[in-house]
């Protein structure tokens, strides 16, 4: 299993700018809660799932099952 940044550098740059503006909270979510602090709870749970492969909600990270 590996978690890596999205290969699309434009998306990475946009999301990182959003994280700067929000103080580290997912820029794709309206609520500023601990669950939405990057890496968000939703993606941490997806990482823990051995069958999950894909992007986090904001598409900054990608989990590869390999």
């Amino acid at each position: 299993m590996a978690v890596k940044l999205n290969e699309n550098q434009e998306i990475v740059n946009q999301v990182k700018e959003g994280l700067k503006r929000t103080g580290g909270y997912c820029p794709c979510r309206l609520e500023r809660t601990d669950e939405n602090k990057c890496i968000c709870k939703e993606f941490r749970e997806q990482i823990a799932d051995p069958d999950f492969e894909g992007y986090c909600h904001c598409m900054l990270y990608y989990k590869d099952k390999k």
Side-chain angles (χ1 to χ4, degrees), residues 4-8 11-12 15 28 55-62:
K4 58 187 176 185
L5 286 175
N6 188 326
E7 292 180 2
N8 184 323
I11 290 174
V12 171
V15 175
C28 303
Y55 289 100
C56 67
H57 181 80
C58 65
M59 296 189 65
L60 178 62
Y61 294 106
Y62 183 82

Side-chain angles (χ1 to χ4, degrees), residues 14-32:
Q14 288 177 351
V15 175
K16 284 186 172 186
E17 283 299 315
L19 288 168
K20 287 179 189 176
R21 284 193 313 274
T22 63
Y25 293 95
C26 179
C28 303
R29 304 204 185 253
L30 297 176
E31 296 176 334
R32 302 290 185 251

Side-chain angles (χ1 to χ4, degrees), residues 33-66:
T33 64
D34 288 342
E35 292 179 356
N36 294 337
K37 192 87 165 176
C38 190
I39 292 176
C40 68
K41 179 182 177 188
E42 177 185 16
F43 194 56
R44 289 191 310 267
E45 290 173 353
Q46 290 170 329
I47 291 170
D49 178 355
D51 295 322
F52 176 81
E53 181 173 350
Y55 289 100
C56 67
H57 181 80
C58 65
M59 296 189 65
L60 178 62
Y61 294 106
Y62 183 82
K63 180 196 172 203
D64 192 348
K65 289 195 302 186
K66 297 176 188 173

